[in-house]
Amino acid sequence: MIKVLFVCLGNICRSPMAEYVFKDMIKKKGLEKQFYIASAATSYEEIGNDMHYGTKDKLDEVGIPYTDHKARRIEKQDYEKYDYIIGMEESNLRNILRIVGKDKDKKLYKLLDFSKNPRDIADPWYTGNFTVTYQDIVEGCTGFLDYLEKENIIK
Ligand code: 4NP
């Protein structure tokens, strides 16, 4: 089982969008039995809250299904539980390290590190642009899936 945790600041915009985009990609490839995919926040701001309506609207627009969501904060134990802990921007990685301690097993990544053009994913909470965020997330998730295939991590 490949366990993937997507992480952003609030766990209501970007990381749940990445969770459902990646779940959809995996399902379309018939690989869902090989994966456990979830998302989490680094802050306490939105704990228990549903996804942002901008994220849900975007997922509805592109026909990607999602289930009930309750924002939760990443915990120290998540570092052992997951194989890939994937932040959306540089500040997420710093905040994750503050919570989990050292990245001793090199599990920490930034989503667009898997793209040909590594960069941060802007926070739509501030930009209001869920379309650019969605495009960036698709680019990152596609790159991540390619990486798992090329490295023969997917059986
Ligand atoms: P996210 O966006 O990190 O992509 O979920 C945010 C959501 C809420 C806040 C910040 C960013 N906030 O400050 O409450």
Side-chain angles (χ1 to χ4, degrees):
M1 183 77 88
I2 303 164
K3 300 194 193 87
V4 182
L5 185 65
F6 294 104
V7 180
C8 64
L9 182 62
N11 191 218
I12 60 165
C13 300
R14 292 165 297 175
S15 61
M17 190 187 278
E19 173 186 340
Y20 292 113
V21 164
F22 195 62
K23 278 180 174 167
D24 187 58
M25 284 181 182
I26 292 304
K27 188 159 196 284
K28 284 178 175 150
K29 290 214 160 214
L31 297 168
E32 61 268 55
K33 287 205 176 77
Q34 292 192 45
F35 282 87
Y36 180 81
I37 303 160
S39 64
T42 58
S43 81
Y44 290 101
E45 297 294 332
E46 302 285 346
I47 300 310
N49 289 347
D50 195 359
M51 274 188 282
H52 192 288
Y53 65 87
T55 297
K56 288 198 205 177
D57 284 353
K58 197 69 215 175
L59 292 172
D60 288 339
E61 187 191 315
V62 296
I64 292 181
Y66 51 87
T67 50
D68 283 345
H69 178 77
K70 264 194 187 348
R72 76 160 184 98
R73 189 172 185 261
I74 186 173
E75 297 169 352
K76 196 171 168 55
Q77 306 89 278
D78 287 323
Y79 188 80
E80 298 307 328
K81 181 170 169 191
Y82 288 91
D83 305 305
Y84 296 90
I85 299 173
I86 305 179
M88 301 294 131
E89 60 183 322
E90 211 55 46
S91 65
N92 298 151
L93 301 190
R94 284 197 300 274
N95 290 329
I96 293 166
L97 283 171
R98 242 177 248 138
I99 296 162
V100 306
K102 277 210 184 88
D103 183 19
K104 61 180 170 54
D105 300 322
K106 300 266 171 280
K107 295 179 173 184
L108 220 54
Y109 298 85
K110 202 164 70 172
L111 185 56
L112 283 170
D113 283 348
F114 295 105
S115 100
K116 290 190 179 71
N117 178 19
R119 60 196 189 278
D120 283 350
I121 296 183
D123 194 337
W125 170 265
Y126 299 109
T127 66
N129 193 332
F130 287 80
T131 297
V132 169
T133 294
Y134 171 73
Q135 289 163 349
D136 284 353
I137 283 173
V138 169
E139 184 181 330
C141 287
T142 304
F144 179 43
L145 191 51
D146 286 349
Y147 167 82
L148 295 174
E149 283 172 343
K150 281 197 190 106
E151 296 290 315
N152 289 320
I153 293 161
I154 293 172
K155 299 292 168 235

